[in-house]
Amino acid sequence: MTTVYVIGSESPQGRSLLSLLKNQVGIQSIGIEGGIFTRSSEASEERLRQFRQPDLIIHCHDLHHLDQTESNPAAAWRHNVDSISAVSKYAESFNIPVILSSSNLVFDGRRDKPYLPSHPTKPVTEFGKTKWASEELLRERMPKHIILRSGWLLENDPAGWLQSIVTRALEGQPIAVSDEVQLAPTATDDLSRVMLAVLKQLTCGIDVWGVYHYSGLDTVSYAELVDTILDILSGYQQVNPVIEQASESQLIRSTLLPMNGTLNCLKLRNTFGIKQLSWKRFLPGLVEDCYDNWVESNADIGRSACPIG
């Protein structure tokens, strides 16, 4: 039996991963909320020691809402860096491998081709800076580590980006888009699939530690991604979104998006045999979840039993 800690059990990624792991034979998963890392590093380590010692730790906890990380860098550092500091110190004590969920935002987005894991990093947002710091800390402390950088996350998060697009569309608020910004969307359930595949191979004792990239198949512009979301949403309720074409600088300033958020995932495929799946297969379910969230927050607006059409 392989015991796995999932740090950040309350996060969209943590919930998705725990849901997947609970049905796996031979794997016992223990979800640990990221809230324990609001304490001192020593207190966080002591809390970790109260659980059954794991064979592997998957760290999904972070403060990833970009507006929050920009407005409160201290909180971002506490959640994104201090948490991995406590986890890596604990892991170091028992030689426990760690998988860290990271982000394409460790890059500045100015390259005209997908980023390789070996490319120099240059984060420009507070979130990107804290993710890079957490990567460096883990690298220095734990030789047995996997850093898994993902593309632009698509998740069911009431305070997240996808929910904001759905809400703005349903309420007729302006949505700024651009054909210039290129993204590689990545659904949380797809990323959980990848983490599980990596986990299973690591338990076989292979020595493949390092940095890897994963994103959903099919690069898309920010404008095309928003248009796809709105098309799915129109199956549940008629929407009349106010679409505004934004310049590159305006959109990057307002959303903190990278100009180029695409990732080269060949190293992951060549090492673990993991193929990319299209983000489009996951998006309809996520949009439906976000629509349900909006309906629940507007209880006076009924929902039809099935989509329109």
Side-chain angles (χ1 to χ4, degrees):
M1 179 68 71
T2 299
T3 301
V4 181
Y5 280 1
V6 176
I7 308 294
S9 59
E10 79 288 4
S11 68
Q13 187 62 64
R15 293 197 305 269
S16 169
L17 182 57
L18 285 167
S19 177
L20 182 62
L21 291 178
K22 72 179 181 181
N23 297 316
Q24 301 300 313
V25 176
I27 297 177
Q28 179 190 39
S29 57
I30 299 175
I32 300 175
E33 291 191 4
I36 72 169
F37 301 106
T38 58
R39 313 169 188 174
S40 68
S41 179
E42 293 76 13
S44 299
E45 287 180 65
E46 184 58 34
R47 183 75 177 97
L48 289 173
R49 294 175 188 272
Q50 295 176 14
F51 298 96
R52 174 180 173 179
Q53 185 176 318
D55 300 292
L56 188 139
I57 298 172
I58 302 179
H59 190 284
C60 301
H61 174 68
D62 56 36
L63 184 65
H64 64 280
H65 299 137
L66 299 186
D67 54 343
Q68 293 179 20
T69 59
E70 293 301 302
S71 62
N72 194 343
W77 192 271
R78 184 170 65 251
H79 284 274
N80 301 357
V81 183
D82 290 353
S83 64
I84 195 63
S85 176
V87 167
S88 60
K89 285 177 69 176
Y90 169 79
E92 184 180 29
S93 301
F94 301 102
N95 195 32
I96 302 168
V98 177
I99 298 176
L100 172 64
S101 176
S102 192
S103 169
N104 67 293
L105 292 178
V106 298
F107 301 110
D108 64 6
R110 291 295 169 182
R111 193 171 187 270
D112 59 1
K113 294 180 180 179
Y115 284 94
L116 290 163
S118 58
H119 277 129
T121 57
K122 188 179 179 182
V124 295
T125 64
E126 289 299 327
F127 176 74
K129 292 172 185 176
T130 59
K131 295 307 286 186
W132 170 242
S134 67
E135 288 187 12
E136 285 284 84
L137 195 155
L138 183 61
R139 263 189 290 266
E140 293 171 2
R141 189 168 285 163
M142 283 299 301
K144 292 183 178 181
H145 69 263
I146 297 287
I147 294 170
L148 184 59
R149 296 174 183 151
S150 66
W152 187 253
L153 279 181
L154 302 175
E155 57 190 8
N156 176 17
D157 182 350
W161 172 83
L162 181 56
Q163 182 67 61
S164 72
I165 295 296
V166 169
T167 297
R168 295 183 77 85
L170 289 167
E171 297 180 358
Q173 300 178 39
I175 301 174
V177 300
S178 171
D179 291 314
E180 299 173 339
V181 173
Q182 297 295 307
L183 300 174
T186 311
T188 49
D189 282 354
D190 192 21
L191 191 57
S192 293
R193 174 187 68 90
V194 173
M195 290 178 176
L196 174 60
V198 171
L199 162 62
K200 286 183 174 179
Q201 295 185 56
L202 291 180
T203 58
C204 295
I206 60 174
D207 188 2
V208 288
W209 312 108
V211 182
Y212 296 87
H213 287 173
Y214 182 77
S215 64
L217 195 61
D218 302 323
T219 297
V220 66
S221 74
Y222 187 75
E224 291 170 328
L225 177 57
V226 170
D227 186 60
T228 303
I229 293 167
L230 299 180
D231 184 57
I232 296 169
L233 187 59
S234 66
Y236 293 93
Q237 182 169 316
Q238 183 175 352
V239 292
N240 296 293
V242 181
I243 303 298
E244 298 179 346
Q245 289 293 328
S247 68
E248 170 198 336
S249 60
Q250 288 173 328
L251 190 63
I252 290 174
R253 254 198 328 272
S254 63
T255 65
L256 305 175
L257 282 162
M259 180 66 178
N260 173 21
T262 62
L263 300 173
N264 185 309
C265 306
L266 282 177
K267 181 182 176 183
L268 183 79
R269 179 171 181 171
N270 292 341
T271 303
F272 294 100
I274 300 171
K275 296 181 179 180
Q276 291 171 273
L277 298 181
S278 175
W279 51 270
K280 294 177 183 178
R281 68 158 61 181
F282 299 94
L283 188 59
L286 287 166
V287 171
E288 181 178 13
D289 289 338
C290 291
Y291 177 67
D292 286 342
N293 293 340
W294 180 80
V295 169
E296 289 176 9
S297 66
N298 296 271
D300 56 319
I301 302 175
R303 175 184 170 174
S304 60
C306 59
I308 296 170

